[in-house]
C-alpha cells in the first residue's frame, strides 16, 4: 500500500486564488495590499525563496518591493529601513528573510517590525498572542501545515502527534497549533535520546529538523500522517526533505512530497497574512 500524496502546489493555488479575489476587492476601494521583503547577504537558498515570494505576490495582485543589501550592511541601517517601511502606508507586510548574517541580532531586527506588519508572525508580541491562544499573524509554515491537515480532513482532537524540531519559526509554533487543535504533542529535538520511541506511536509526525532523510520507514507507525517541512538540495541538484520519502510512503497513510508539499503552502500563507494586514489597515484607517 502507498500513502496518499498531499499536493501542496494544488492546495496553495486555492489559497492564492482567495488572496487574489480579496486583494482585488480591496484594491477597488483604493487599498492595494503591499509586501516588503528584505534580503541581506547573498545566501543562494534565501535568494530563491525571496524570488518565489515576489513572483507569488505578482500573481496574486499584491504589490511588492524587494530590498537587497550586501552582507556588510549594518544593523543600524537595517533598523532605519524597517522604521521607514513601518511608516509607509502602501506597505502592509514586512518580511526580513532569515537567516541574517551573524553580526545582526535577529530578535532586535524582528522586533523592530511593527507587530501590525509582522506577516511572518515572529515578533515577540505575535508569538505571545499565539501562546495565549489568540493569535494574530501565524508563522507561515505552521499555518500552511494546519491548512493542509484541514484540507486532508485529518482529525486532530485526541490524536497523538510528534513535532521534530523546535525552532521559533516552525517547530514551536507548530506544536502550539496542534495543541490548540486538541492533539497530544511531543516535541523532539537534537537532544532527544530516542526519536523513534516517540515517532513509532504517533498518528501524525511533522518533521522540521533540517536533516535529510531523518525520518525512516522503521520509525513510522502504519497509516500515520507524515508532513515533511525540510528542504535540501542533494549533490545531483534535486530537492529532498527530512523524510526518506520512497520508503516512508510505503508505510504512511498520508505524506507530503518535497518539492510540492509544505513549501508552496508557506508562500500561500504569507500572501494571506499580507492580505489580512491590509484589510485590517483599511478597516482601521484614520
Ligand atoms: P532550525 O535549524 O532553526 O531548527 C532545527 C530544529 O531541528 C532544532 O530544534 C533542532 O534541535 C532539531 N534537530 C536538528 N537535527 C535533529 C535531529 N537529528 N533529530 C531531532 N531533532 C533535530 O531549522 P528550521 O528553520 O526550523 O527549518 C527546519 C527545516 O525546514 C530546514 O530544512 C528548512 O530549510 C526547512 N524549512 C522549510 C520551510 C518550507 O516552507 N517548506 C520553511 C522553513 C524551514
Amino acid at each position: 500500500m502507498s500513502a496518499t500524496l498531499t499536493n501542496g502546489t494544488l492546495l496553495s493555488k486555492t489559497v492564492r486564488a482567495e488572496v487574489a479575489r480579496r486583494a482585488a476587492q480591496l484594491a477597488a476601494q483604493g487599498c492595494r495590499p503591499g509586501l516588503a521583503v528584505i534580503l541581506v547577504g547573498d545566501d543562494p537558498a534565501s535568494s530563491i525563496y525571496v524570488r518565489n515570494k515576489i513572483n507569488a505576490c505578482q500573481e496574486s495582485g499584491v504589490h511588492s518591493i524587494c530590498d537587497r543589501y550586501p552582507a556588510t550592511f549594518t544593523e543600524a541601517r537595517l533598523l532605519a529601513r524597517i522604521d521607514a517601511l513601518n511608516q509607509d502606508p502602501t506597505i502592509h507586510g514586512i518580511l526580513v528573510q532569515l537567516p541574517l548574517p551573524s553580526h545582526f541580532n535577529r530578535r532586535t531586527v524582528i522586533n523592530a517590525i511593527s507587530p501590525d506588519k509582522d506577516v511572518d508572525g515572529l515578533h515577540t508580541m505575535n508569538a505571545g498572542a499565539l501562546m495565549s491562544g489568540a493569535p494574530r499573524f501565524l508563522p507561515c509554515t505552521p499555518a500552511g501545515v494546519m491548512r493542509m491537515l484541514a484540507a486532508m480532513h485529518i482529525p486532530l482532537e485526541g490524536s497523538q502527534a510528534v513535532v521534530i524540531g523546535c525552532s521559533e519559526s516552525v517547530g514551536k509554533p507548530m506544536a502550539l497549533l496542534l495543541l490548540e487543535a486538541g492533539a497530544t504533542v511531543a516535541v523532539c529535538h537534537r537532544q532527544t535520546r530516542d526519536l523513534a520511541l516517540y515517532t513509532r506511536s504517533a498518528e501524525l509526525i511533522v518533521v522540521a529538523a533540517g536533516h535529510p532523510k531523518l525520518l525512516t520507514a522503521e520509525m513510522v507507525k502504519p497509516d500515520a500522517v507524515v508532513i515533511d517541512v525540510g528542504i535540501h538540495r542533494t549533490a545531483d541538484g534535486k530537492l529532498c526533505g527530512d523524510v526518506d520519502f520512497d520508503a516512508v510512503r510505503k508505510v504512511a497513510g498520508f505524506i507530503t512530497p518535497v518539492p510540492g508539499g509544505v513549501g508552496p503552502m508557506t508562500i500561500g500563507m504569507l500572501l494571506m497574512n499580507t492580505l489580512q494586514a491590509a484589510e485590517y489597515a483599511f478597516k482601521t484607517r484614520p
Side-chain angles (χ1 to χ4, degrees):
M1 204 190 69
S2 195
T4 304
L5 272 194
T6 305
N7 190 331
T9 306
L10 202 63
L11 189 55
S12 80
K13 281 190 181 150
T14 65
V15 176
R16 289 187 198 197
E18 186 189 335
V19 170
R21 183 181 56 76
R22 282 164 55 184
Q25 272 174 4
L26 204 57
Q29 297 172 81
C31 173
R32 190 171 177 214
L35 173 71
V37 180
I38 301 177
L39 175 63
V40 184
D42 49 15
D43 178 58
S46 291
S47 299
I48 295 171
Y49 297 150
V50 165
R51 191 188 62 205
N52 291 345
K53 287 167 186 172
I54 298 295
N55 288 345
C57 284
Q58 273 159 11
E59 286 165 20
S60 304
V62 172
H63 159 66
S64 63
I65 57 174
C66 180
D67 288 3
R68 290 167 198 272
Y69 301 112
T72 52
F73 201 56
T74 65
E75 186 171 297
R77 291 184 68 192
L78 180 58
L79 295 179
R81 179 58 183 146
I82 290 172
D83 191 42
L85 291 167
N86 282 339
Q87 313 303 326
D88 184 341
T90 69
I91 293 300
H92 307 97
I94 302 169
L95 180 150
V96 175
Q97 184 67 41
L98 299 173
L100 283 164
S102 57
H103 62 281
F104 287 87
N105 182 321
R106 170 192 152 114
R107 182 47 47 209
T108 305
V109 170
I110 289 170
N111 280 352
I113 298 170
S114 160
D116 291 341
K117 298 191 178 189
D118 169 41
V119 286
D120 240 354
L122 299 178
H123 190 288
T124 301
M125 277 176 67
N126 287 320
L130 170 61
M131 173 69 116
S132 67
R136 169 113 188 261
F137 293 116
L138 291 178
C140 303
T141 302
V145 171
M146 292 306 284
R147 187 93 175 211
M148 287 179 117
L149 293 171
M152 290 147 73
H153 305 290
I154 304 296
L156 295 174
E157 226 176 84
S159 70
Q160 225 166 309
V162 171
V163 178
I164 307 179
C166 57
S167 67
E168 239 176 86
S169 54
V170 188
K172 275 189 207 166
M174 186 73 251
L176 281 173
L177 288 173
L178 292 172
L179 201 58
E180 280 290 319
T184 300
V185 188
V187 184
C188 298
H189 46 79
R190 210 175 265 116
Q191 279 81 33
T192 301
R193 266 190 233 116
D194 186 354
L195 197 54
L197 182 73
Y198 296 89
T199 58
R200 272 199 213 109
S201 57
E203 296 156 284
L204 166 65
I205 308 171
V206 180
V207 199
H211 189 297
K213 300 192 180 183
L214 175 68
L215 190 80
T216 59
E218 304 73 50
M219 297 166 76
V220 177
K221 177 175 163 159
D223 287 334
V225 176
V226 175
I227 308 285
D228 192 351
V229 176
I231 309 177
H232 312 276
R233 198 166 286 283
T234 59
D236 57 2
K238 291 190 181 143
L239 290 180
C240 78
D242 285 355
V243 174
D244 183 0
F245 182 80
D246 291 334
V248 171
R249 74 180 300 185
K250 293 181 186 141
V251 183
F254 286 89
I255 192 165
T256 61
V258 178
V262 175
M265 290 304 291
T266 297
I267 295 186
M269 299 322 286
L270 171 67
L271 296 175
M272 185 58 84
N273 279 350
T274 305
L275 171 74
Q276 285 171 353
E279 287 175 341
Y280 180 78
F282 183 67
K283 206 171 68 185
T284 57
R285 68 194 181 282

